[in-house]
């Protein structure tokens, strides 16, 4: 495991590059920003993700696709979307999503980096919030946030 360093954060594409300067707490009216939406979801994880609406996470996927479908339960929040046709390979998009996560959540630890899975966590063992971006089949990407 290694801490996110400036190299990964520096490769953030588009809006991800600006996320590092946003405040750490996101208000409901800020959810149109991918970073604000991601921070809102992660902040909700310790107390229950079921308080979030399906629309709370759509901004995370808007950079990459327009059809995000998000769901919330007590222990997880997930978004599934189809990338834009001209957005590149799934592996490239997954790297871009990971760069956005790293940029938006500089305190997150990035402990898995592969062409099909990007995993981060925030918080100490026993009360961690897990953030996982994966490919979902040949044509979809998925973001899942879970907490204890």
């Amino acid at each position: 495991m290694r801490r996110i360093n400036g190299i990964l954060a520096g490769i953030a594409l588009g809006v991800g590059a600006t996320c590092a300067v946003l405040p750490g707490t996101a208000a409901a009216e800020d959810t149109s920003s991918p970073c604000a939406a991601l921070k809102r979801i992660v902040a909700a994880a310790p107390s229950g993700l079921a308080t979030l609406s399906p629309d709370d996470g759509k901004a995370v996927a808007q950079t990459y696709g327009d059809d995000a479908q998000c769901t919330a339960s007590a222990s997880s929040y997930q978004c599934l979307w189809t990338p834009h046709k001209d957005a590149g390979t799934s592996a490239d998009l997954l790297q871009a999503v990971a760069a956005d996560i790293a940029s938006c959540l500089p305190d997150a630890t990035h402990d898995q980096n592969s062409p099909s899975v990007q995993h981060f966590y925030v918080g100490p063992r026993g009360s961690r919030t897990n953030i996982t971006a994966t490919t979902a089949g040949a044509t979809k990407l998925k973001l899942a946030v879970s907490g204890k």
Side-chain angles (χ1 to χ4, degrees), residues 62-67 81-90 92-93 138-141:
Q62 284 178 336
T63 302
Y64 309 102
D66 297 320
D67 66 344
W81 69 92
T82 306
H84 298 295
K85 291 190 186 299
D86 61 346
T89 69
S90 292
D92 291 343
L93 290 172
T139 61
K140 301 268 187 192
L141 292 179

Side-chain angles (χ1 to χ4, degrees), residues 11-113:
I11 65 169
L13 300 174
V15 71
T18 62
C19 291
V21 298
L22 292 175
T25 304
E29 66 270 14
D30 294 333
T31 57
S32 62
S33 158
C35 279
L38 186 59
K39 288 177 183 181
R40 179 175 169 81
I41 294 165
V42 170
S47 60
L49 292 156
T51 61
L52 299 172
S53 78
D55 289 337
D56 284 326
K58 288 185 179 180
V60 177
Q62 284 178 336
T63 302
Y64 309 102
D66 297 320
D67 66 344
Q69 299 295 314
C70 302
T71 58
S73 71
S75 61
S76 72
Y77 190 88
Q78 297 183 26
C79 292
L80 185 69
W81 69 92
T82 306
H84 298 295
K85 291 190 186 299
D86 61 346
T89 69
S90 292
D92 291 343
L93 290 172
L94 209 52
Q95 285 292 329
V97 171
D100 283 350
I101 293 168
S103 179
C104 295
L105 303 170
D107 291 338
T109 297
H110 190 198
D111 64 349
Q112 186 172 359
N113 179 356

